[in-house]
Every structure is written in C-alpha cells, then in structure tokens.
Amino acid sequence: QVQLVESGGGLVQAGGSLRLSCAASGRTFSNYALGWFRSAPGKEREFVARISSSGAITYYADSVKGRFTISRDNAKNTMYLQMTNLKPADTAVYYCAARRGSLSTREWTGYSSWGQGAQVTVSS
C-alpha cells in the first residue's frame, strides 16, 4: 500500500487561506485515486473532495464547493487541498486517503490507505 503524510495545517482567521499537502511513498502514486476527508469533534468523518488517478476528474462536497480546490502532481507524488475563505465550520482534522484504481469515491470505506491527519483551526 501507499504511505501518506499530511502537512500544512494550522490556525487561521475566518476568511483566510491554507494549503494542505499529502505526500505519498511506497507505491506508484499515479495508480491511486485520492480523497480528502475531515473529522470534527462530535461529528462523523466527512467527505471533502476527491480526485481521479490522472487528476482529470474532481468532486467536492457542497459545503466546500467554490472555496476548496483539490489537485495532484504525480511527478512529485503529492496531492494538495487549497482552502480559501475558510470558516469556523471548517475546523477539523483533515485526512488524505488513497485507493488503488483510477476512480475515487466519496465513501471513506472505499479507501485503504490513510494519513495521520492535519489539524485545521479557523477562528472567528
């Protein structure tokens, strides 16, 4: 399986921006579809965004559409989540996930590899 490590989390004021990175190692990165999920205290794990293995197809949760952008650089074995106009409701631990194959899914159970998580805190 591929190993994943997130970075780029932190504390930001509402309306600010952050970029999360997810670095992969261990397997051929371009053979994996990827996703971002988040977990907030007292809430279930939530789908945020997903991207196909080639990067051509992306999907977003309605709550982040127009504010977040998912992308990947297969030459650098890295996926990104650019987050803009952040809101306090975006506060959560963000996880990147990978599944073998070209197509992603919004179901977290469909992913076999997970990063350790990155804390994002948005103050009002």
Side-chain angles (χ1 to χ4, degrees):
Q1 293 186 355
V2 64
Q3 287 79 48
L4 305 173
V5 178
E6 299 98 338
S7 61
L11 173 64
V12 64
Q13 288 187 334
S17 300
L18 281 175
R19 188 177 79 159
L20 300 180
S21 298
C22 175
S25 62
R27 295 291 183 181
T28 304
F29 185 66
S30 59
N31 287 344
Y32 289 80
L34 305 169
W36 286 99
F37 295 79
R38 65 188 182 186
S39 294
K43 295 185 177 180
E44 295 185 353
R45 191 174 321 192
E46 177 185 23
F47 162 72
V48 176
R50 57 192 177 100
I51 189 168
S52 62
S53 60
S54 68
I57 303 172
T58 59
Y59 294 98
Y60 298 89
D62 288 343
S63 58
V64 307
K65 199 173 297 182
R67 300 188 298 121
F68 290 12
T69 302
I70 187 172
S71 63
R72 65 189 294 166
D73 185 338
N74 285 347
K76 295 183 178 180
N77 289 356
T78 303
M79 174 176 65
Y80 305 97
L81 185 68
Q82 179 67 50
M83 304 182 291
T84 62
N85 191 20
L86 282 160
K87 305 175 181 181
D90 295 318
T91 295
V93 177
Y94 284 71
Y95 298 91
C96 62
R99 58 175 277 157
R100 188 167 176 81
S102 60
L103 299 178
S104 61
T105 174
R106 65 180 296 126
E107 301 299 328
W108 69 266
T109 54
Y111 294 84
S112 56
S113 298
W114 291 83
Q116 83 288 354
Q119 177 69 48
V120 172
T121 303
V122 184
S123 63
S124 57

